[in-house]
Amino acid sequence: MSAMTDNRRVGHLPALTEADLNESQTQLWNDITEGPRGAAPWMVQDGALTGPFNAWLQIPHIGRAFAAAGEQLRFSSSLDAITRELVILTVGAHWKSEFEFWAHAGIARSAGMSEELIEAIESGSEAAVQSATSDASHGQIFSALSALVEHGVIPEEELSRLVDIVGEPTAVEIVALAGYYTLVSFTLNTFAVPLPDGEHTRFS
Protein backbone atom coordinates (compact mmCIF):
# COMPACT_ATOMS: atom_id res chain seq x y z
CA MET A 1 0.00 0.00 0.00
CA SER A 2 1.45 3.38 -0.97
CA ALA A 3 1.85 6.41 1.26
CA MET A 4 -0.84 8.21 -0.73
CA THR A 5 -3.43 5.63 0.33
CA ASP A 6 -2.28 4.80 3.87
CA ASN A 7 -2.24 8.45 4.99
CA ARG A 8 1.32 8.36 6.31
CA ARG A 9 2.95 11.79 6.43
CA VAL A 10 6.31 13.48 6.78
CA GLY A 11 5.34 16.35 9.04
CA HIS A 12 2.53 18.26 7.39
CA LEU A 13 2.84 16.63 3.94
CA PRO A 14 1.98 13.20 2.53
CA ALA A 15 4.89 10.76 2.68
CA LEU A 16 5.63 10.06 -0.98
CA THR A 17 7.10 6.63 -1.68
CA GLU A 18 8.57 5.48 -4.99
CA ALA A 19 5.22 3.92 -5.90
CA ASP A 20 3.55 7.34 -5.73
CA LEU A 21 5.90 9.23 -8.04
CA ASN A 22 5.45 10.57 -11.55
CA GLU A 23 8.38 10.76 -13.97
CA SER A 24 9.67 14.14 -12.77
CA GLN A 25 9.43 13.11 -9.14
CA THR A 26 11.25 9.85 -9.89
CA GLN A 27 14.10 11.82 -11.48
CA LEU A 28 14.43 13.92 -8.34
CA TRP A 29 14.23 10.85 -6.09
CA ASN A 30 17.04 9.21 -8.08
CA ASP A 31 19.14 12.38 -8.07
CA ILE A 32 18.98 12.40 -4.28
CA THR A 33 19.31 8.71 -3.45
CA GLU A 34 21.94 7.89 -6.07
CA GLY A 35 24.01 11.04 -5.54
CA PRO A 36 26.49 11.83 -2.75
CA ARG A 37 23.69 12.52 -0.25
CA GLY A 38 22.30 9.03 -0.68
CA ALA A 39 24.91 7.54 1.65
CA ALA A 40 23.24 9.20 4.65
CA PRO A 41 21.48 6.46 6.65
CA TRP A 42 18.57 8.76 7.52
CA MET A 43 17.83 9.78 3.92
CA VAL A 44 14.95 7.33 3.46
CA GLN A 45 12.68 6.52 6.40
CA ASP A 46 9.74 4.12 6.10
CA GLY A 47 9.95 4.32 2.32
CA ALA A 48 9.84 8.14 2.08
CA LEU A 49 12.53 10.76 1.73
CA THR A 50 13.19 12.83 4.81
CA GLY A 51 14.85 16.20 5.34
CA PRO A 52 13.48 18.81 2.91
CA PHE A 53 13.27 16.32 0.06
CA ASN A 54 9.78 14.91 0.58
CA ALA A 55 8.53 18.50 0.39
CA TRP A 56 10.55 19.22 -2.73
CA LEU A 57 9.04 16.18 -4.44
CA GLN A 58 5.81 18.22 -4.48
CA ILE A 59 7.53 20.62 -6.93
CA PRO A 60 10.00 18.31 -8.70
CA HIS A 61 11.27 20.64 -11.41
CA ILE A 62 12.10 23.31 -8.85
CA GLY A 63 13.12 20.69 -6.31
CA ARG A 64 15.73 19.31 -8.71
CA ALA A 65 17.26 22.78 -9.02
CA PHE A 66 17.29 23.14 -5.23
CA ALA A 67 18.85 19.71 -4.76
CA ALA A 68 21.48 20.34 -7.44
CA ALA A 69 22.45 23.67 -5.86
CA GLY A 70 22.80 22.05 -2.46
CA GLU A 71 24.90 19.24 -3.90
CA GLN A 72 27.31 21.76 -5.42
CA LEU A 73 27.49 23.83 -2.25
CA ARG A 74 28.17 20.81 -0.04
CA PHE A 75 30.26 18.53 -2.19
CA SER A 76 32.15 20.97 -4.45
CA SER A 77 32.82 23.60 -1.80
CA SER A 78 36.05 25.56 -1.51
CA LEU A 79 35.50 25.53 2.27
CA ASP A 80 37.01 22.86 4.46
CA ALA A 81 34.41 20.54 5.95
CA ILE A 82 34.44 22.02 9.46
CA THR A 83 34.08 25.60 8.20
CA ARG A 84 31.29 24.53 5.85
CA GLU A 85 29.42 22.85 8.69
CA LEU A 86 29.99 25.88 10.93
CA VAL A 87 28.11 27.95 8.35
CA ILE A 88 25.28 25.43 8.07
CA LEU A 89 24.92 24.94 11.81
CA THR A 90 24.92 28.69 12.43
CA VAL A 91 22.00 29.08 10.04
CA GLY A 92 20.17 26.09 11.50
CA ALA A 93 20.60 27.38 15.05
CA HIS A 94 19.37 30.86 14.14
CA TRP A 95 16.18 29.50 12.57
CA LYS A 96 15.84 26.85 15.29
CA SER A 97 15.64 24.20 12.62
CA GLU A 98 15.74 20.98 14.59
CA PHE A 99 16.24 18.58 11.71
CA GLU A 100 18.88 20.69 9.98
CA PHE A 101 20.91 21.15 13.16
CA TRP A 102 20.59 17.48 14.12
CA ALA A 103 21.66 16.22 10.67
CA HIS A 104 24.55 18.60 10.26
CA ALA A 105 25.78 18.20 13.83
CA GLY A 106 26.31 14.56 12.90
CA ILE A 107 28.08 15.51 9.67
CA ALA A 108 30.20 18.04 11.60
CA ARG A 109 31.24 15.41 14.15
CA SER A 110 32.25 13.05 11.36
CA ALA A 111 34.36 15.85 9.87
CA GLY A 112 36.14 16.32 13.20
CA MET A 113 34.25 19.25 14.74
CA SER A 114 34.36 19.16 18.54
CA GLU A 115 31.22 18.81 20.62
CA GLU A 116 32.27 22.02 22.36
CA LEU A 117 32.13 23.95 19.09
CA ILE A 118 28.79 22.40 18.10
CA GLU A 119 27.32 23.46 21.45
CA ALA A 120 28.85 26.93 21.14
CA ILE A 121 27.22 27.41 17.73
CA GLU A 122 23.93 26.18 19.17
CA SER A 123 24.20 28.78 21.94
CA GLY A 124 24.61 31.64 19.46
CA SER A 125 27.48 33.09 21.50
CA GLU A 126 30.38 34.53 19.51
CA ALA A 127 32.60 34.39 22.59
CA ALA A 128 31.76 30.70 23.08
CA VAL A 129 32.55 29.95 19.43
CA GLN A 130 35.88 31.76 19.66
CA SER A 131 36.87 29.85 22.78
CA ALA A 132 35.78 26.50 21.30
CA THR A 133 38.01 26.62 18.21
CA SER A 134 41.70 27.04 17.51
CA ASP A 135 40.97 28.42 14.04
CA ALA A 136 40.91 32.21 14.26
CA SER A 137 38.81 32.46 11.10
CA HIS A 138 35.88 30.62 12.69
CA GLY A 139 35.02 33.45 15.06
CA GLN A 140 35.03 36.01 12.25
CA ILE A 141 32.95 33.81 9.98
CA PHE A 142 30.47 33.18 12.81
CA SER A 143 30.27 36.91 13.54
CA ALA A 144 29.60 37.75 9.89
CA LEU A 145 26.99 35.01 9.59
CA SER A 146 25.27 36.10 12.77
CA ALA A 147 24.84 39.58 11.32
CA LEU A 148 23.65 38.14 8.02
CA VAL A 149 20.93 35.90 9.45
CA GLU A 150 19.83 38.54 11.95
CA HIS A 151 19.69 41.55 9.63
CA GLY A 152 19.82 40.17 6.09
CA VAL A 153 23.16 41.84 5.38
CA ILE A 154 26.77 41.67 6.53
CA PRO A 155 27.77 45.25 7.47
CA GLU A 156 30.52 46.70 5.30
CA GLU A 157 33.23 46.68 7.98
CA GLU A 158 32.34 43.12 8.98
CA LEU A 159 32.36 42.06 5.34
CA SER A 160 35.76 43.68 4.84
CA ARG A 161 37.18 41.64 7.73
CA LEU A 162 35.64 38.47 6.32
CA VAL A 163 37.08 39.14 2.85
CA ASP A 164 40.51 39.78 4.38
CA ILE A 165 40.39 36.30 5.90
CA VAL A 166 38.77 34.19 3.18
CA GLY A 167 38.88 36.24 -0.03
CA GLU A 168 36.03 37.57 -2.12
CA PRO A 169 35.02 34.34 -3.92
CA THR A 170 34.78 32.41 -0.66
CA ALA A 171 32.85 35.25 0.98
CA VAL A 172 30.31 34.97 -1.84
CA GLU A 173 30.18 31.20 -1.36
CA ILE A 174 29.58 31.59 2.38
CA VAL A 175 26.64 33.93 1.73
CA ALA A 176 25.25 31.51 -0.88
CA LEU A 177 25.61 28.58 1.52
CA ALA A 178 23.83 30.52 4.25
CA GLY A 179 21.03 31.44 1.85
CA TYR A 180 20.59 27.86 0.69
CA TYR A 181 20.37 26.49 4.22
CA THR A 182 17.92 29.23 5.11
CA LEU A 183 15.72 27.78 2.36
CA VAL A 184 16.24 24.33 3.83
CA SER A 185 15.39 25.59 7.33
CA PHE A 186 12.23 27.30 6.12
CA THR A 187 11.14 24.08 4.39
CA LEU A 188 11.87 21.89 7.40
CA ASN A 189 10.26 24.26 9.89
CA THR A 190 7.15 25.12 7.88
CA PHE A 191 6.31 21.52 7.06
CA ALA A 192 7.34 20.27 10.53
CA VAL A 193 9.74 17.58 9.34
CA PRO A 194 10.30 15.44 12.45
CA LEU A 195 13.55 14.19 13.88
CA PRO A 196 14.16 10.45 13.64
CA ASP A 197 12.71 8.37 16.45
CA GLY A 198 14.74 8.62 19.63
CA GLU A 199 16.34 11.98 18.83
CA HIS A 200 15.66 14.95 21.09
CA THR A 201 14.91 18.55 20.17
CA ARG A 202 17.38 21.30 21.04
CA PHE A 203 15.41 24.49 20.53
CA SER A 204 11.99 23.79 22.01
Side-chain angles (χ1 to χ4, degrees):
M1 182 179 292
S2 78
M4 294 298 287
T5 56
D6 68 10
N7 295 319
R8 288 188 301 118
R9 301 179 76 78
V10 177
H12 295 321
L13 293 171
L16 300 176
T17 69
E18 287 188 88
D20 303 316
L21 306 181
N22 61 32
E23 183 176 353
S24 294
Q25 290 170 321
T26 297
Q27 288 177 336
L28 175 54
W29 180 289
N30 292 340
D31 287 347
I32 293 164
T33 59
E34 296 174 8
R37 294 186 183 92
W42 46 262
M43 188 61 62
V44 179
Q45 298 287 324
D46 297 325
L49 294 177
T50 189
F53 304 111
N54 183 70
W56 292 353
L57 283 170
Q58 304 285 336
I59 48 169
H61 290 89
I62 298 171
R64 289 190 77 192
F66 289 164
E71 187 172 308
Q72 289 297 310
L73 285 164
R74 269 194 63 195
F75 300 104
S76 300
S77 176
S78 68
L79 301 170
D80 66 88
I82 291 178
T83 302
R84 184 193 69 229
E85 295 306 317
L86 181 146
V87 174
I88 297 169
L89 289 173
T90 300
V91 172
H94 175 78
W95 295 116
K96 297 180 169 54
S97 181
E98 298 285 1
F99 192 101
E100 180 175 322
F101 200 94
W102 167 81
H104 283 274
I107 294 167
R109 289 186 195 98
S110 297
M113 184 182 287
S114 69
E115 198 66 37
E116 182 184 5
L117 182 52
I118 292 170
E119 291 176 0
I121 296 167
E122 179 186 349
S123 77
S125 166
E126 184 177 343
V129 168
Q130 289 175 336
S131 68
T133 179
S134 59
D135 188 329
S137 71
H138 287 163
Q140 185 59 57
I141 292 169
F142 181 82
S143 177
L145 282 168
S146 296
L148 178 61
V149 294
E150 184 68 31
H151 304 293
V153 64
I154 300 174
E156 188 172 344
E157 289 186 6
E158 189 89 45
L159 178 60
S160 180
R161 289 192 290 270
L162 179 65
V163 168
D164 285 345
I165 292 171
V166 303
E168 289 172 335
T170 300
V172 173
E173 183 177 343
I174 286 170
V175 172
L177 186 62
Y180 177 79
Y181 278 94
T182 294
L183 164 66
V184 172
S185 292
F186 284 3
T187 303
L188 294 167
N189 289 355
T190 297
F191 297 106
V193 175
L195 293 173
D197 291 343
E199 298 294 337
H200 302 290
T201 60
R202 291 174 177 259
F203 305 112
S204 59

